[in-house]
Amino acid sequence: MKIAIIIPAHNEAQTIGPLVKDVLSKGYDCIVIDDGSVDKTAAIAADAQAVVLRTGGKSGKGNALKIGFDYVIRNHYEALIAMDGDGQHSPSDIAAFVACCQVAQADIVNGNRLKNPQGMPLVRLATNHFMSWLISFFCRQHIPDTQCGFRLIKTKVLEAIKLESSDFEIETEVLIKASKKGFKIASVGIQTIYRDEVSKIQPVHDTLRFIAYLWRELWRNDKTL
């Protein structure tokens, strides 16, 4: 498969350079979507030979991902792998996504941090277990770590669904809408590297956005997917 690695990034100057070089060393095109960074994220990514796209201002992870998705579709990639720019996702796991996709004949392969959650804060671990159970119920497929942003998505999935979310809830939206269209979702265990970085997720604000999104999905007409 022709696969691109896309990385939404906001103020990731400390980690983006080595990450891009590691991805490129594995033979994949690397697309960094700079979401309104005020540091040198875009310049460092470009110097490392990534394709750099810009949102034009801080717009949310969902909007950054949609710009990356559009680029992948326009440039005729068969699939993409999305990963975070903060160094928590290791490019050494990319091969496992590709292998799982081929063996399972899956349309989406989701990373699963919960097979080895060492270092994950207890509150986040409990929340992820609950949310993954709930979203798996919506999707009618078992997805052990639905909140993981490290995932492979075939381009045909993105061409078949209409994405509306602008922030972190887009990761749930992709899973639910893909499931409603009959696409197969598999999971693969990954390592997660926890550093001293501060999470960009705002617990109260993003949880309310997430609940609002699920409520809309309950009443959505499937023809609008």
Side-chain angles (χ1 to χ4, degrees):
M1 287 189 296
K2 182 184 178 184
I3 299 174
I5 311 301
I6 71 169
I7 305 173
H10 176 70
N11 294 340
E12 304 294 1
Q14 291 187 339
T15 54
I16 198 67
L19 178 59
V20 168
K21 291 177 181 178
D22 200 353
V23 167
L24 293 174
S25 73
K26 292 174 171 38
Y28 294 98
D29 295 339
C30 185
I31 296 93
V32 172
I33 307 95
D34 179 43
D35 187 28
S37 297
V38 296
D39 62 7
K40 295 183 178 180
T41 294
I44 292 171
D47 286 345
Q49 303 302 308
V51 173
V52 177
L53 309 175
R54 292 176 172 84
T55 62
K58 184 69 172 74
S59 64
K61 185 178 184 181
N63 284 324
L65 282 171
K66 285 187 286 188
I67 289 174
F69 295 163
D70 288 343
Y71 180 91
V72 167
I73 291 169
R74 290 197 315 272
N75 287 276
H76 310 293
Y77 290 92
E78 296 172 73
L80 63 90
I81 295 177
M83 58 191 303
D84 292 343
D86 59 5
Q88 284 197 5
H89 299 154
S90 173
S92 64
D93 286 326
I94 290 173
F97 282 88
V98 177
C100 180
C101 179
Q102 294 170 339
V103 171
Q105 293 294 294
D107 302 299
I108 296 176
V109 179
N110 218 65
N112 179 12
R113 300 162 295 175
L114 303 185
K115 290 186 72 172
N116 183 22
Q118 185 175 1
M120 182 180 290
L122 184 59
V123 172
R124 188 184 300 180
L125 179 62
T127 300
N128 282 356
H129 274 297
F130 173 74
M131 299 309 298
S132 296
W133 170 82
L134 182 62
I135 294 164
S136 294
F137 175 79
F138 270 83
C139 292
R140 295 185 173 88
Q141 300 189 64
H142 177 56
I143 310 168
D145 186 6
T146 59
Q147 305 306 294
C148 182
F150 198 0
R151 59 177 58 164
L152 180 151
I153 309 172
K154 288 185 176 177
T155 307
K156 66 180 182 180
V157 175
L158 299 173
E159 293 174 324
I161 62 178
K162 180 180 178 182
L163 296 171
E164 301 170 349
S165 300
S166 62
D167 217 327
F168 292 98
E169 70 271 20
I170 195 171
E171 289 160 346
T172 296
E173 184 182 14
V174 168
L175 297 178
I176 291 177
K177 289 187 173 179
S179 293
K180 287 184 176 182
K181 289 287 188 179
F183 291 110
K184 181 178 179 181
I185 301 171
S187 295
V188 66
I190 63 167
Q191 57 185 310
T192 301
I193 306 159
Y194 288 101
R195 306 179 193 270
D196 296 327
E197 68 278 348
V198 177
S199 174
K200 294 182 175 66
I201 295 176
Q202 303 174 50
V204 175
H205 176 73
D206 288 317
T207 297
L208 290 174
R209 287 174 66 99
F210 177 82
I211 291 171
Y213 168 72
L214 284 183
W215 179 255
R216 291 196 302 272
E217 279 301 318
L218 277 173
W219 299 100
R220 185 184 297 275
N221 185 324
D222 285 353
K223 293 181 180 178
T224 65
L225 295 179

